[in-house]
Amino acid sequence: MQKLKVRKIEVIRGISLRDAKENLTLQTQLQKIDKLNWKNFSYAPKVNFRIAHTGKEIWLMYEVLEKYIRALETRTNGDVYKDSTVEFFISTGGKNYYNFEFSCIGTIHLAYGPDRGKRQRIDPAIAEKIKIETSLGTKPFEEKSVDFPWDIFIRIPTECFAFDNIKSFSGLAARGNFYKCGDATSLPHYISWNPIDTIEPDYHRPEFFGELEFE
């Protein structure tokens, strides 16, 4: 099982997305999303991520290089997983977990529950409190077939954990996993940070989450 210590970054109130991204880059180490769990899906784009927190926000950055990119979904809580997408699943205690999903143009899907079949979507007004900057902009586009690099920077406030009473991430002991997918691209793929031992691709398996220790 993977274990990851999530560093706390001290920042000034109202820090810009650009400055926050620079702080995250300077103060954290790259982590790899490279576990190929299913032999029928052998394509693995190159994916790295960084994570830290400020107490009130989780900061995430993904760097991706993939052969096909697609971005058609624009609805919050829509079918984001069909596009070129990165994901962060986290359980802050107990059997329930949140699935944060972000397309390469920053479209968000956010839900909560104990398993795949019992998800409750978070109110879009809450999900959209997440601040995002992506290198590809926000306009949808049809699939492009190139070896294409892109990155996305994400700031998730405590308010997005709508079913938990989280005042601060400091000292939080959690479990989670990080993913890359693209179900409707020409090369469907499913890779993870912590390995998953199932017959078919399934990210909604909290028993395969790794450990996340927040400073």
Side-chain angles (χ1 to χ4, degrees):
M1 178 185 294
Q2 298 262 54
K3 297 181 180 181
L4 183 59
K5 190 167 188 177
V6 181
R7 182 172 185 175
K8 184 174 184 180
I9 296 178
E10 300 294 340
V11 297
I12 60 172
R13 185 186 298 271
I15 188 171
S16 68
L17 277 168
R18 177 175 295 181
D19 288 345
K21 183 177 180 180
E22 183 177 356
N23 270 265
L24 182 66
T25 301
L26 291 174
Q27 297 190 49
T28 59
Q29 293 183 339
L30 279 175
Q31 308 293 328
K32 292 184 178 182
I33 299 176
D34 60 0
K35 300 299 186 297
L36 279 168
N37 303 290
W38 301 284
K39 63 181 181 180
N40 291 333
F41 298 93
S42 59
Y43 171 61
K46 184 178 179 180
V47 187
N48 297 313
F49 73 95
R50 298 178 186 271
I51 184 171
H53 77 99
T54 67
K56 295 297 184 181
E57 293 181 334
I58 293 174
W59 290 2
L60 273 170
M61 183 167 69
Y62 294 82
E63 299 174 353
V64 182
L65 177 63
E66 59 184 321
K67 290 184 178 179
Y68 296 92
I69 56 171
R70 177 187 189 269
L72 295 178
E73 183 60 83
T74 58
R75 302 167 299 164
T76 298
N77 290 338
D79 294 335
V80 172
Y81 68 94
K82 294 181 179 179
D83 289 339
S84 299
T85 296
V86 291
E87 303 184 354
F88 171 48
F89 285 24
I90 180 171
S91 174
T92 61
K95 64 180 182 179
N96 295 305
Y97 61 91
Y98 297 85
N99 55 300
F100 292 87
E101 305 175 13
F102 307 96
S103 80
C104 59
I105 58 169
T107 305
I108 302 166
H109 183 102
L110 175 54
Y112 175 85
D115 55 40
R116 174 182 291 279
K118 299 176 182 177
R119 311 305 296 158
Q120 183 169 346
R121 294 180 179 180
I122 305 299
D123 185 335
I126 294 175
E128 290 165 9
K129 292 179 180 292
I130 300 171
K131 297 178 181 178
I132 298 173
E133 182 178 81
T134 171
S135 62
L136 297 179
T138 59
K139 294 182 179 180
F141 55 84
E142 297 285 347
E143 185 179 77
K144 302 176 183 180
S145 57
V146 290
D147 283 323
F148 206 94
W150 59 274
D151 64 72
I152 185 170
F153 176 62
I154 303 153
R155 293 169 60 172
I156 304 172
T158 54
E159 295 96 315
C160 289
F161 290 76
F163 292 92
D164 294 326
N165 185 28
I166 294 178
K167 302 300 183 183
S168 172
F169 295 111
S170 298
L172 181 69
R175 300 177 68 248
N177 213 341
F178 303 82
Y179 310 113
K180 170 72 180 75
C181 66
D183 287 42
T185 63
S186 292
L187 272 177
H189 53 275
Y190 307 93
I191 56 175
S192 64
W193 168 69
N194 201 61
I196 303 169
D197 185 14
T198 59
I199 296 174
E200 299 293 335
D202 189 356
Y203 287 168
H204 290 268
R205 299 297 291 266
E207 65 268 37
F208 298 112
F209 286 0
E211 295 183 8
L212 304 175
E213 179 186 344
F214 289 73
E215 285 187 345

